[in-house]
């Protein structure tokens, strides 16, 4: 049975179902968390009904014995496939005053003896403020794990994971021997601790791992197999107290051996994933080639598979920028760099900010600053339009401003760099409002008039050589040098920047597509 057939039968559940229909529906729900989640929407209504006085219903002894026999059979088979020999009709449910769908769920998944259904079905991901996690938890795409291992008096518990073809969220918690939850963290640095995926045969699968929203997040590669093993090899746990939390410290390390292998299945989430083929290419006026391959709609989120690269002209310009930065950096700093290192750092791809709007112009998806991943509910069979908002690229900077601060008060100095003009007009020393320990306690403030090229977004990694960090924002009319000692204003100062970020908004690329039917 498919999920669509299940939904159809659930919608007509107050009608008489044949024995075969009932059996198929029951078996499908027992193994499909997605359809279980649809029935869980009735939970609140059940809890409300249970809190009210129930009408007195008379039942014959044979009826009571039959129901209790069913309950006992279900409890004995909770760990296996749930099958019932008989299919009670709507009259039984209505006599008890319980919504038909919820009683069906209770008998199917064996929770009739639970204190409340809501307590049983709650997913930790449903409580998250992250929209993707909430949706995955609410729709039943989380997988209960409840695997644990204990060492050094500390129990590591993997209680639940949430997975789709793009991402995996893993919940890791720690408890004492008295079952009290600990404030603890794990740093997966491949030294003490590792978290990785493998296929069912043990072959390693490379993934990017981040800690986000209180969970370990694994970004899955394309064409990942359905059956996976989540491997955790934890040898160090950092326990936190109030002092370490306040000081943002790693905590008190405890060394031990907490190793787990957790089977994970992507079969259900893959079956609920839809793809819109695109296969379109565009070259921007600046020489960036954009390729939109497809739009992937998973149960948890959506992702536009879009890539960017430079054409030959843009790459030649970048090579010139890289060489210029190598010369500036190596003439001023002891820490030498090579062109290869800069290419590795800056790369050849650009950040593409885009949005997808529906027929009314409402934005249903956008980059949201996260590599094209964003959950946005999309109605079926709707015309959608992709629009590029801007392209942004960080490139090597050869900014070089050398001047004597005190002389600016009598003679302003002008510099140009990549179409940007810097006019340094005056200089003064002021107390640092928030001095760091071991610094001079003063800042040098340069009154400046900076005119930026229309494509310049900002300079990053600004440094006054031999002094402190430099603050220079587009909206400010000043440049601030931190840790500037008194008396230093009569000596030459050199300001550099490691990156120049350009943002190109004159990009005109859009195309239409249609959302798939469900």
């Amino acid at each position: 049975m498919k999920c669509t057939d299940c939904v159809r039968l659930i919608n007509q559940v107050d009608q008489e179902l044949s024995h075969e229909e009932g059996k198929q529906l029951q078996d499908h729900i027992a193994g499909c968390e997605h359809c279980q989640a649809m029935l869980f929407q009735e939970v609140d209504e059940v809890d409300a009904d249970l809190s009210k006085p129930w009408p007195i219903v008379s039942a014959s002894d044979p009826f009571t014995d039959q129901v209790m026999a069913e309950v006992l059979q279900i409890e004995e088979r909770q760990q296996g496939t749930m099958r019932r020999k008989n299919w009670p009709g709507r009259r039984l449910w209505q006599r008890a005053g319980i919504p038909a769908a919820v009683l069906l769920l209770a008998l199917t998944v064996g929770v009739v003896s639970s204190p409340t259904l809501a307590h049983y079905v709650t997913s930790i991901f449903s409580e998250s403020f992250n929209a993707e996690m909430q949706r995955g938890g609410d729709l039943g795409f989380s997988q209960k794990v409840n695997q644990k291992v204990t060492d050094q008096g500390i129990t590591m518990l993997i209680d639940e994971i949430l997975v789709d073809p793009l991402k995996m969220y893993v919940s890791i918690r720690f408890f004492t021997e008295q079952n009290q939850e600990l404030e603890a963290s794990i740093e997966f640095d491949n030294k003490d601790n590792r978290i990785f995926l493998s296929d069912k045969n043990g072959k390693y699968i490379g993934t990017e791992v981040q800690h986000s929203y209180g969970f370990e997040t694994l970004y899955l590669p394309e064409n990942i197999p359905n059956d996976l093993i989540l491997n955790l090899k934890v040898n160090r746990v950092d326990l936190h107290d109030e002092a370490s939390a306040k000081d943002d410290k790693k905590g008190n390390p405890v060394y031990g051996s907490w190793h787990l292998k957790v089977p994970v299945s992507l079969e259900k989430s893959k079956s609920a994933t839809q793809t819109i083929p695109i296969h379109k290419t565009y070259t921007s006026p600046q020489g960036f080639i954009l390729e939109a391959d497809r739009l992937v709609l998973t149960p948890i989120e959506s992702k536009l598979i879009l890539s960017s690269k430079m054409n030959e002209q843009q790459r030649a310009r970048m090579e010139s920028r890289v060489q210029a930065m190598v010369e500036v950096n190596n003439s001023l700093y002891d820490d030498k760099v090579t062109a290869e290192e800069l290419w590795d750092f800056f790369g050849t791809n650009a950040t593409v900010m885009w949005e997808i709007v529906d027929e009314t112009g409402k934005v249903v998806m956008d980059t949201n600053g996260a590599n094209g991943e964003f959950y946005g509910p999309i109605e079926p069979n709707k015309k959608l339009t992709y629009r590029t908002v801007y392209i942004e690229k960080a490139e090597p900077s050869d900014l070089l401003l050398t001047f004597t601060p005190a002389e600016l008060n009598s003679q302003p100095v002008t510099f140009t760099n990549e179409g940007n003009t810097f006019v340094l007009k005056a200089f003064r020393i002021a107390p640092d409002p928030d001095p760091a320990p071991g610094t001079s306690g003063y800042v040098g403030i340069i009154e400046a008039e900076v005119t930026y090229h229309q494509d310049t977004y900002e300079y990053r990694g600004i440094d006054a050589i031999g002094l402190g960090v430099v603050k220079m924002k587009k909206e400010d009319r000043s440049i601030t040098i931190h840790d500037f000692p008194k008396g230093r204003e009569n000596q030459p100062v050199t300001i550099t920047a490691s990156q120049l970020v350009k943002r190109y908004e004159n990009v005109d690329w859009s195309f239409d597509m249609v959302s798939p039917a469900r």
Side-chain angles (χ1 to χ4, degrees):
M1 175 180 289
K2 297 180 180 179
C3 292
T4 53
D5 297 325
C6 180
V7 172
R8 176 179 57 81
L9 292 178
I10 290 173
N11 288 336
Q12 65 181 48
V13 76
D14 281 336
Q15 303 177 18
E16 292 287 345
L17 301 179
S18 68
H19 173 79
E20 185 61 27
E21 285 177 328
K23 179 174 177 294
Q24 291 178 1
L25 181 60
Q26 223 174 358
D27 290 347
H28 178 83
I29 294 174
C32 179
E33 295 176 5
H34 176 263
C35 290
Q36 289 177 19
M38 295 179 62
L39 295 181
F40 292 166
Q41 296 176 5
E42 300 283 351
V43 167
D44 290 340
E45 296 182 16
V46 173
D47 284 341
D49 287 340
L50 291 175
S51 65
K52 301 175 183 178
W54 279 31
I56 298 176
V57 179
S58 298
S60 63
D61 290 339
F63 171 79
T64 302
D65 293 340
Q66 180 182 355
V67 172
M68 292 306 299
E70 291 285 355
V71 171
L72 291 174
Q73 291 177 18
I74 291 167
E75 290 178 342
E76 292 173 355
R77 299 193 300 266
Q78 280 185 359
Q79 302 303 319
T81 302
M82 304 301 171
R83 299 178 182 271
R84 295 183 67 239
K85 296 181 180 179
N86 300 317
W87 186 265
R90 65 191 290 253
R91 290 179 295 277
L92 170 61
W93 294 329
Q94 289 180 342
R95 286 177 63 193
I98 301 176
V102 178
L103 184 55
L104 166 66
L105 173 65
L107 294 176
T108 301
V109 300
V111 298
V112 290
S113 60
S114 300
T116 64
L117 293 177
H119 175 75
Y120 178 85
V121 303
T122 297
S123 166
I124 57 174
F125 295 102
S126 297
E127 306 300 323
S128 173
F129 61 86
N130 177 269
E132 292 86 353
M133 292 184 188
Q134 285 183 5
R135 176 173 171 80
D138 292 345
L139 293 181
F141 281 91
S142 64
Q143 300 178 23
K144 299 290 185 180
V145 176
N146 293 323
Q147 286 196 27
K148 57 186 177 181
V149 60
T150 301
D151 192 20
Q152 306 300 315
I154 298 174
T155 296
M156 182 178 76
L157 170 67
I158 311 298
D159 53 359
E160 194 172 349
I161 62 174
L162 181 64
V163 64
D164 76 357
L166 299 175
K167 273 183 189 175
M168 180 186 300
Y169 297 104
V170 183
S171 169
I172 306 176
R173 301 162 67 191
F174 296 90
F175 295 86
T176 66
E177 293 179 333
Q178 292 74 34
N179 205 32
Q180 293 180 331
E181 188 162 3
L182 293 167
E183 290 290 336
S185 64
I186 310 174
E187 184 176 347
F188 289 104
D189 53 8
N190 293 330
K191 178 183 177 182
D192 296 321
N193 306 317
R194 295 186 65 202
I195 180 171
F196 62 95
L197 295 175
S198 60
D199 64 16
K200 60 183 180 181
N201 298 318
K203 182 180 179 181
Y204 174 81
I205 299 175
T207 58
E208 179 187 351
V209 181
Q210 291 183 356
H211 183 79
S212 55
Y213 306 106
F215 301 88
E216 302 305 323
T217 305
L218 285 73
Y219 294 85
L220 308 185
E222 294 189 50
N223 302 318
I224 193 166
N226 286 351
D227 298 317
L228 303 171
I229 301 295
L230 174 65
N231 301 266
L232 290 102
K233 296 184 177 181
V234 177
N235 299 307
R236 168 179 168 162
V237 175
D238 293 318
L239 301 181
H240 297 272
D241 52 25
E242 292 184 3
S244 62
K246 183 177 180 180
D247 296 337
D248 196 26
K249 296 179 180 178
K250 288 185 178 180
N252 303 313
V254 177
Y255 290 90
S257 180
W258 299 270
H259 295 181
L260 284 176
K261 291 180 178 290
V262 180
V264 181
S265 174
L266 270 71
E267 183 175 358
K268 186 174 64 174
S269 60
K270 279 189 175 182
S271 66
T273 296
Q274 295 177 299
T275 300
I276 303 177
I278 299 175
H279 306 308
K280 293 185 181 295
T281 303
Y282 165 82
T283 301
S284 75
Q286 301 79 27
F288 292 100
I289 302 173
L290 310 185
E291 297 180 354
D293 183 72
R294 64 195 182 279
L295 179 63
V296 181
L297 309 175
T298 80
I300 300 177
E301 62 185 325
S302 303
K303 183 174 183 178
L304 176 66
I305 308 301
L306 185 148
S307 62
S308 66
K309 60 183 179 181
M310 302 176 185
N311 64 11
E312 294 182 2
Q313 292 79 8
Q314 176 68 3
R315 185 178 180 89
R317 195 187 73 85
M318 278 290 292
E319 289 176 348
S320 175
R321 301 288 299 155
V322 165
Q323 191 57 45
M325 182 176 176
V326 168
E327 294 175 2
V328 169
N329 183 91
N330 292 351
S331 67
L332 298 172
Y333 295 93
D334 294 332
D335 186 12
K336 309 300 182 183
V337 298
T338 64
E340 290 76 14
E341 290 172 331
L342 291 183
W343 273 110
D344 289 341
F345 179 81
F346 288 99
T348 60
N349 62 308
T351 299
V352 183
M353 302 299 287
W354 51 264
E355 61 187 14
I356 295 176
V357 300
D358 61 16
E359 294 168 308
T360 67
K362 177 184 177 182
V363 177
V364 296
M365 285 181 62
D366 60 26
T367 39
N368 201 33
N371 297 326
E373 297 177 11
F374 183 76
Y375 168 69
I378 299 176
E379 296 182 14
N381 298 316
K382 292 290 186 180
K383 177 185 175 182
L384 304 173
T385 300
Y386 164 92
R387 300 191 303 217
T388 305
V389 181
Y390 62 80
I391 298 175
E392 187 174 287
K393 183 72 178 78
E395 58 186 50
S397 169
D398 59 354
L399 180 68
L400 188 63
L401 310 179
T402 300
F403 58 95
T404 301
E407 294 179 356
L408 297 179
N409 295 318
S410 57
Q411 181 64 48
V413 179
T414 300
F415 300 92
T416 59
N417 177 260
E418 283 292 300
N420 307 303
T421 302
F422 301 82
V423 181
L424 312 185
K425 296 182 175 181
F427 177 83
R428 61 187 174 88
I429 295 178
D432 191 337
D434 187 21
T439 62
S440 66
Y442 293 93
V443 296
I445 301 175
I446 305 167
E447 181 184 336
E449 183 177 318
V450 184
T451 304
Y452 290 94
H453 186 273
Q454 64 177 3
D455 293 334
T456 293
Y457 180 62
E458 66 178 355
Y459 285 89
R460 295 175 182 168
I462 310 171
D463 177 43
I465 298 175
L467 298 171
V469 176
V470 176
K471 177 183 176 183
M472 181 175 67
K473 294 185 177 181
K474 288 183 74 171
E475 61 270 20
D476 294 341
R477 298 184 63 85
S478 63
I479 300 173
T480 302
I481 304 175
H482 290 271
D483 192 17
F484 197 101
K486 285 187 173 181
R488 185 65 171 76
E489 63 270 25
N490 293 309
Q491 301 178 37
V493 170
T494 297
I495 293 178
T496 66
S498 61
Q499 301 177 54
L500 170 61
V501 182
K502 292 191 174 183
R503 178 175 293 183
Y504 307 105
E505 298 184 358
N506 59 330
V507 178
D508 184 19
W509 187 37
S510 64
F511 52 82
D512 296 332
M513 51 190 161
V514 178
S515 60
R518 290 179 185 151

